[in-house]
Amino acid sequence: MKNITVLCGGMGGARFLQGLRHGIASGSLPAIDDGVTITAITNTADDLWMHGLKICPDLDTVMYTLGDGIDPGRGWGRREETWSIKEELVEYGVESTWFGLGDRDLATHLVRTQMLDAGYPLSEVTSALCRRWQPGVRLVPMSDDRIETHVAIADDEAPSGRRVVHFQEYWVRLRAEVPAEAVVVVGLDEATPAPGVIEAITDADLVILPPSNPVVSIGTILGVPGVREAVRGTSAPVVGLSPIVGGTHVRGMAHQMLTSIGVEVSAGAVGRHYGSRQGSGTGVLDGWLVDASDADQVAAVREAGIACEAVPLMMTDHDATAAMVAAAIALVGEGRSA
Ligand code: FO1
């Protein structure tokens, strides 16, 4: 297996990639060649402009995590961070003070914004930043176009009874504590996949959907025009791992996001939401792993035309994650399907 493509969001995707890389290095994934190319097609719909700077939380979380620059406690932003600029902005009363931009992290946003202003597409900016961080995977944004997830929430002062906030305000300022009445991904339908995205899917020997958010991370990647069709059409097996364990998300806000699109918050329901690649629908999966605690949902997933097994799915350490990868490969087989 020489080319593995992973569609991923931020923290869950980064942790999964760490385990995948560890499994290959430690020899516990013999089906994967040492010289394998891992392409991480990463969600950019969490991105936002703030203080005139382009911030890419999921790309940065993967880049910092795999480049060992991440703050291990928070799971986002830089280790050994300081907050002088944020404190100064608070003194000036400049919004948005609810979003934590550290001094080291701001350097990334300054370099990125400078390069974007010079006309470089986001994919080339990301490659340039990775020359410093050496993440050990090919980090590719899902699109070079501007795409932003916004969330509609109840607001009884608004004439419509609702207002829309940027995803980061919903997640960071509101802590996802109010129901998401609708999720709108601005710019998605007009976007095009970044260079290399379609090829990474069609030329893969294995495509993995890790336990990232199925709505606002993997859902948005699949929503970029052409991507879902490429996943449905690739000769590589496509396997997913449930982000829902025991009826709720492990971290993040998958529970709220799934509820907002009317999908039951269960491992089986998410697998069926992604759908089977068999037949003429829009499904993308050949196989789906659920956690051992959700073994009672395996039969229903199989009935939906998706191979399914129940295995431990908590990424408690890199070996546990590597074992999940081994189970995913065992489930859908190796290399190109007929
Ligand atoms: N998450 C928080 O909970 N609080 C923050 O203040 C915050 C700031 C932040 C800054 C840069 C960045 O790359 C990520 C940041 N995050 C923060 C995490 C971010 O909301 C998540 O990584 C994803 O966007 C959600 O999946």
Side-chain angles (χ1 to χ4, degrees), residues 232-267:
R232 279 186 56 74
T234 181
S235 56
V238 182
V239 60
L241 297 89
S242 178
I244 301 296
V245 171
T248 188
H249 54 237
V250 178
R251 278 181 81 169
M253 76 320 283
H255 194 292
Q256 295 88 327
M257 295 291 109
L258 286 164
T259 303
S260 76
I261 62 169
V263 173
E264 180 195 292
V265 184
S266 73

Side-chain angles (χ1 to χ4, degrees), residues 148-219:
E148 291 188 7
T149 298
H150 289 247
V151 179
I153 59 173
D155 177 353
D156 46 24
E157 271 125 56
S160 66
R162 278 181 170 184
R163 69 188 166 93
V164 175
V165 295
H166 187 285
F167 170 78
Q168 292 298 343
E169 182 171 358
Y170 176 74
W171 168 236
V172 175
R173 194 168 71 78
L174 302 175
R175 305 303 314 148
E177 284 163 356
V178 295
E181 299 199 353
V183 175
V184 179
V185 189
V186 179
L188 187 60
D189 296 341
E190 301 74 40
T192 55
V197 164
I198 299 302
E199 296 79 356
I201 296 168
T202 50
D203 299 347
D205 297 311
L206 179 65
V207 175
I208 306 176
L209 277 56
S212 291
N213 189 303
V215 180
V216 294
S217 292
I218 294 179

Side-chain angles (χ1 to χ4, degrees), residues 9-11 43 46-48 55-61 64 74-77 83 86 97-102 105 109 167-168 171-173 175 213 216-217 252-253:
M11 294 181 215
N43 173 50
D46 286 7
D47 295 2
L48 74 165
I55 297 159
C56 301
D58 284 354
L59 283 167
D60 290 349
T61 297
Y64 290 158
R74 289 193 303 271
W76 54 267
W83 306 92
K86 179 172 163 47
T97 53
W98 47 267
F99 196 68
L101 287 173
D105 190 33
H109 311 315
F167 170 78
Q168 292 298 343
W171 168 236
V172 175
R173 194 168 71 78
R175 305 303 314 148
N213 189 303
V216 294
S217 292
M253 76 320 283

